[in-house]
Amino acid sequence: MSIKAAVGAIKPPDKEFIASLLRLMDTAMLPGLGIGIIANRRLVWSHYAGVMDATTTTRISESSLFSGCSLGKPLFAYAALRLVDEGKLD
């Protein structure tokens, strides 16, 4: 299945954005990141850049684990917005 067919209107970042990531990471003082697009419960696109920790040289990869520190907030917001869409929350 192509990415376009899998994700509809969502498109992977273009080459220009990917090329700008290192500059953006430097600006944000972010040593590394892993990003991806999930559609139909499948990872259809991913990109990894940088290192796990500013003091190491361990590269970010598909097997890297990240702390879930503040991930509850976007999940709660998503659930609340779904309830709004369903008319169950005002």
Side-chain angles (χ1 to χ4, degrees):
M1 172 188 305
S2 73
I3 292 173
K4 185 176 181 182
V7 296
I10 298 173
K11 295 186 172 110
D14 60 21
K15 291 178 184 177
E16 186 176 321
F17 174 78
I18 297 300
S20 73
L21 276 178
L22 292 178
R23 180 183 52 76
L24 294 170
M25 289 168 56
D26 187 49
T27 299
M29 295 186 291
L30 185 68
L33 62 82
I35 55 178
I37 296 175
I38 297 172
N40 300 322
R41 300 181 183 181
R42 291 184 39 228
L43 179 66
V44 295
W45 180 88
S46 61
H47 180 78
Y48 308 96
V51 294
M52 289 293 297
D53 183 303
T55 63
T56 71
T57 57
T58 305
R59 309 278 312 154
I60 300 291
S61 72
E62 66 277 353
S63 61
S64 297
L65 297 177
F66 294 92
S67 173
C69 297
S70 292
L71 291 177
K73 293 176 189 105
L75 293 174
F76 178 81
Y78 174 78
L81 291 171
R82 290 291 304 254
L83 290 171
V84 169
D85 285 345
E86 294 171 8
K88 296 177 181 175
L89 185 64
D90 187 352

